[in-house]
Amino acid sequence: MKYRLVLGLFLVLFLLLLAACGSSTTPSSGQGQATPSGSQTVQVTLSDNKVESSLTTFTAGMPYHFVVTNSGQVAHQFVMIPMGMGMEHMSVDEMHHAALYMYDSVAPGETRMFDYTFASSTAGQSFQFACGTQGHYAAGIQLSFMVHPHE
């Protein structure tokens, strides 16, 4: 009997310790996500007629924390894709394969976050932030950016 009491007490203390150590969760939408140490935050805003970004020049090998907000009235896709891919004619599956990063949908008023480090192989190349929703890319919801080599 005494053995079960001691074992039960030990188990309760162990579970409390686990709960205290493992209480940080990151929601899939990125709400409340902490910026990783050493990364630079990039604010990207999708609206119903354009994409804006706090940065349009990036350095390969440097970590970035992207904060993507849809300030428009309709849902938008968010895609980081190489220039010249003919995105307006791509299927969603083709976009997924070609994209550096992609959200299928960012709802109006929603903010989503992700961390990304451009590979050294992307240095010297041009890319775009864009909305792949039908008709949006052709309507100008795109913004070019460049990745430079790490110095």
Side-chain angles (χ1 to χ4, degrees):
M1 178 79 162
K2 195 174 193 182
Y3 172 75
R4 286 186 181 177
L5 181 63
V6 171
L7 183 62
L9 183 59
F10 176 76
L11 186 59
V12 168
L13 289 173
F14 181 73
L15 290 174
L16 287 172
L17 181 64
L18 273 177
C21 291
S23 64
S24 82
T25 58
T26 304
S28 62
S29 69
Q31 297 294 332
Q33 184 174 4
T35 302
S37 178
S39 68
Q40 185 171 359
T41 298
V42 181
Q43 301 286 339
V44 179
T45 304
L46 302 168
S47 67
D48 293 337
N49 60 358
K50 65 182 171 182
V51 178
E52 295 177 297
S53 176
S54 61
L55 289 177
T56 56
T57 303
F58 299 90
T59 302
M62 181 174 182
Y64 294 94
H65 179 71
F66 287 86
V67 180
V68 180
T69 301
N70 181 353
S71 66
Q73 301 298 309
V74 299
H76 291 285
Q77 284 182 336
F78 171 78
V79 182
M80 287 190 338
I81 195 163
M83 292 283 290
M85 295 295 296
M87 198 171 122
E88 63 273 12
H89 304 294
M90 295 175 94
S91 70
V92 173
D93 285 340
E94 291 170 324
M95 276 188 257
H96 273 283
H97 285 50
L100 299 176
Y101 201 89
M102 181 174 176
Y103 283 125
D104 287 330
S105 182
V106 182
E110 183 180 18
T111 296
R112 300 188 74 179
M113 299 178 210
F114 66 96
D115 299 316
Y116 193 84
T117 300
F118 294 95
S120 58
S121 62
T122 63
Q125 297 182 42
S126 296
F127 298 88
Q128 291 180 314
F129 298 120
C131 176
T133 302
Q134 188 172 16
H136 290 194
Y137 181 85
I141 304 178
Q142 55 188 281
L143 177 67
S144 299
F145 68 89
M146 182 78 175
V147 177
H148 294 288
H150 189 270
E151 297 176 4

